[in-house]
Amino acid sequence: MLAETICSAVSAAGLGIAAVTAYRKRFMAAARITAYALVPVGLVMTGVVEWLTGIVFNPTVWIGFGLLGLAWLILATTRAVERRSLGGAGGPAKKAKAGPSPEAVAPAASKPSLGTPAPAPADDFSDIEAILKKHGI
């Protein structure tokens, strides 16, 4: 009952502000304010406010939210512990590979894709030097 009264008062105040704004010949702003002012009354009439107040003031709902949070915390903790133990000596460790495996490369792959670096061109800075000389630097 209190939430519905507050929503009605907010809507009435918003409609009053919209009327003053329309009196000042700002009709577009007044129309927007009117739209926003009608939202709380619409929420009361559809029953959303009653549903929300039933959730907020119901202790069983808060206990349910607490249990959901506890479940999430337990799941996150167990995943963190499991990841940490997989990397240590306590459990089966995953094999770390130094480079790409030959099975992962296509059969007709070229040399650079196999992991050998391509040789750098010899005149790498000649183009840059020419541009700098052209600009007098």
Side-chain angles (χ1 to χ4, degrees):
M1 183 73 181
L2 179 65
E4 289 85 358
T5 305
I6 292 171
C7 287
S8 299
V10 168
S11 289
L15 290 174
I17 293 170
V20 170
T21 306
Y23 178 76
R24 293 182 182 171
K25 307 282 188 216
R26 297 180 57 206
F27 297 111
M28 292 298 286
R32 269 190 235 108
I33 293 170
T34 302
Y36 283 121
L38 293 176
V39 169
V41 171
L43 291 175
V44 167
M45 294 178 102
T46 58
V48 172
V49 173
E50 184 180 340
W51 178 74
L52 283 175
T53 55
I55 286 176
V56 170
F57 297 118
N58 191 351
T60 307
V61 173
W62 286 105
I63 292 171
F65 281 129
L67 289 176
L68 286 174
L70 179 65
W72 178 83
L73 182 67
I74 291 170
L75 286 172
T77 304
T78 56
R79 289 195 73 183
V81 169
E82 184 179 49
R83 286 183 184 177
R84 183 170 284 205
S85 67
L86 284 179
K94 294 182 180 178
K95 293 181 181 179
K97 295 183 180 182
S101 66
E103 297 88 25
V105 179
S110 62
K111 273 286 194 199
S113 67
L114 292 176
T116 57
D123 295 334
D124 198 20
F125 295 108
S126 62
D127 295 337
I128 297 171
E129 289 175 6
I131 293 171
L132 290 175
K133 285 180 184 178
K134 180 181 173 184
H135 291 287
I137 298 175

